[in-house]
Structures are given as C-alpha cells and as structure tokens.
C-alpha cells in the first residue's frame, strides 16, 4: 500500500572530487565546521568506481551534493558531469562546480545543462557552504519525490487486472453503475473493487486518485 508517512532521509553527505588533496582537506574541514559530512575523491575515475558499487535506482538515499573541480587529470569534471546527467543522477545529486577564473564561461554553460551552480576559486567559505546547504535541500526534495513515485509504482503493481479496469473508469469519472455496465458486473462488485483500489493506492476519493496518477506521469 502506498504510504503518506515518509521514512527519514538520512544524514546528508557532500562528495568532493578534486585532484588537489589540499583543496579536498580544506573543504572537508570547512564542511565539518558546519556539521556536514563529506567524502573525498582524488579524480573522477575514483568517484565513478564508487558509483559502480551503488544501486543507482535508489541512490542517493540521503540528501547529497557533489563539489566537482572542472579541470582534473584524466576524466575532467565536465565529462563526469555529462555522464551523471546521462544517468539521471543530477536531480538528486546537485553538482556545484569549483572553477578557476578561466573556467567560468565553461561552468556557466554547465549550469545551463543542469549543474546547480559554480563557485570560483578562491571562494568565500560562507557563500560556498550556504550553496551546499541549499543543494542538499534540493536533493532531499528530489529523494522524497522519487520515493513517492516508487511507492505509487509498487501500489499499482499490487492491483489485480479487474481493479485496474475499475481504476481506469473511476479516473475517467464514471459512476459505479456505468462501470458495472461496462464491465458486466454488479454495482456491489464495483463497490468492492473500488474500496480495495482506494485502500491499495492510499487515497480517499476519485479526485485524489486522479491527482496522484497525474503527479506520477512522466
């Protein structure tokens, strides 16, 4: 049954991908000063190896964001970002680029492609952490929406074929008598299927059901 009680989101995590260890250490210290956990990676390949150990259909499962250096040896930050976009990860994992002055036009273009923001080095500590906090809030909202979609999908999978037939007609606005006539069953049987349908989908009315399905439409 779909549930309106969402489980807790978990402890926020900030992922740091920068080839300079001194930058990663400084960022980790800065985030700790604001009671934020972080995990650092020295290059894009290391972060991709980390992703390979995750179930990306349900990751991240806690508010997260990625602080990503634009220029790195090997796979650049921009290439990694494009791969994250292709995998649909940047909605729940907002990306904040860390850029040098010469990279600003490139970073602006990345923001247009869906990056959350860019911060130019040397950056203001407070301004950066403020943006990280905002990115984590956006991530949390995305995770809540994803969980809601999955809950609806699970509830739909529990419906019988007859309950689906009733649901289609309920959402279309048909009265029980018309549904009974269309399916060649009794009104009482429609009422039973309708009640079970509403229980499984955790709704109380046809309007609520229709709105729920509309919200989950791609």
């Amino acid at each position: 049954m779909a549930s309106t009680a969402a489980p807790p989101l978990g402890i926020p995590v900030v992922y740091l991908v920068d080839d300079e260890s001194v930058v990663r250490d400084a960022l980790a210290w800065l985030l700790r000063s604001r009671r934020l956990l972080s995990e650092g990676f020295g290059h894009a390949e290391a972060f991709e190896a980390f992703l390979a150990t995750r179930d990306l259909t349900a990751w991240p499962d806690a508010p997260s964001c990625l602080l990503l250096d634009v220029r790195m040896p090997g796979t650049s930050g921009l290439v990694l970002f494009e791969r994250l976009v292709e995998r649909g990860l940047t909605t729940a994992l907002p990306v904040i680029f860390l850029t040098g002055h010469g990279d600003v036009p490139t970073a602006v273009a990345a923001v247009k492609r869906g990056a959350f923001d860019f911060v130019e080095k040397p950056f203001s500590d407070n301004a950066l952490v403020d943006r990280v906090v905002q990115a984590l809030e956006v991530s949390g909202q995305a995770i809540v929406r994803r969980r809601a979609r999955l809950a609806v999908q699970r509830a739909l999978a529990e419906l019988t074929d007859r309950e689906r037939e009733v649901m289609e007609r309920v959402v279309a606005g048909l009265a029980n008598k018309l549904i009974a006539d269309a399916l060649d069953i009794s009104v009482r049987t429609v009422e039973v299927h309708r009640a079970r349908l509403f229980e499984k989908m955790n709704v109380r009315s046809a309007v609520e059901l229709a709105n729920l399905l509309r919200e989950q439409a791609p």
Side-chain angles (χ1 to χ4, degrees):
M1 180 191 303
S3 174
T4 55
L9 286 175
I11 299 173
V13 181
V14 181
Y15 296 97
L16 315 172
V17 180
D18 194 299
D19 62 303
E20 296 184 60
S21 60
V22 64
V23 174
R24 295 197 307 276
D25 291 345
L27 287 170
W29 180 88
L30 173 61
L31 293 167
R32 281 198 304 273
S33 73
R34 295 281 289 265
R35 298 187 177 183
L36 290 172
L37 294 180
S38 64
E39 187 168 350
F41 301 85
H43 44 80
E45 291 83 356
F47 186 68
E48 290 190 290
F50 164 76
L51 291 181
T53 68
R54 308 289 97 180
D55 174 9
L56 298 184
T57 63
W59 185 89
D61 55 2
S64 305
C65 78
L66 173 61
L67 291 180
L68 179 59
D69 192 16
V70 171
R71 293 183 183 272
M72 293 182 289
T75 303
S76 72
L78 290 171
V79 170
L80 174 59
F81 171 70
E82 290 296 336
R83 291 174 181 171
L84 297 176
V85 171
E86 290 170 1
R87 298 163 89 171
L89 291 176
T90 55
T91 301
L93 181 71
V95 175
I96 299 175
F97 276 107
L98 302 177
T99 73
H101 177 70
D103 296 320
V104 169
T106 301
V108 171
V111 168
K112 292 179 180 178
R113 284 276 292 129
F116 186 76
D117 204 349
F118 70 91
V119 177
E120 190 174 353
K121 301 175 184 177
F123 46 76
S124 160
D125 290 354
N126 287 333
L128 174 60
V129 179
D130 286 346
R131 287 303 279 159
V132 166
V133 169
Q134 292 164 7
L136 292 172
E137 291 173 354
V138 168
S139 172
Q141 294 164 4
I143 291 170
V144 168
R145 291 194 300 271
R146 183 182 65 204
R147 288 181 177 179
R149 285 195 303 272
L150 291 174
V152 171
Q153 290 169 8
R154 287 193 295 268
L156 288 171
E158 293 180 3
L159 299 181
T160 65
D161 291 342
R162 182 63 86 187
E163 286 166 351
R164 284 181 173 275
E165 291 175 335
V166 171
M167 179 179 70
E168 291 171 1
R169 290 161 176 80
V170 167
V171 170
L174 297 185
N176 287 352
K177 178 64 169 64
L178 293 178
I179 296 174
D181 291 344
L183 299 178
D184 195 24
I185 56 179
S186 70
V187 172
R188 176 57 186 159
T189 300
V190 172
E191 291 171 349
V192 170
H193 286 311
R194 186 180 181 122
R196 289 176 179 168
L197 164 65
F198 282 15
E199 180 182 7
K200 289 180 179 179
M201 298 302 296
N202 197 30
V203 298
R204 291 169 292 181
S205 69
V207 171
E208 192 175 343
L209 176 61
N211 288 338
L212 180 65
L213 296 177
R214 188 179 305 111
E215 288 170 1
Q216 305 310 314

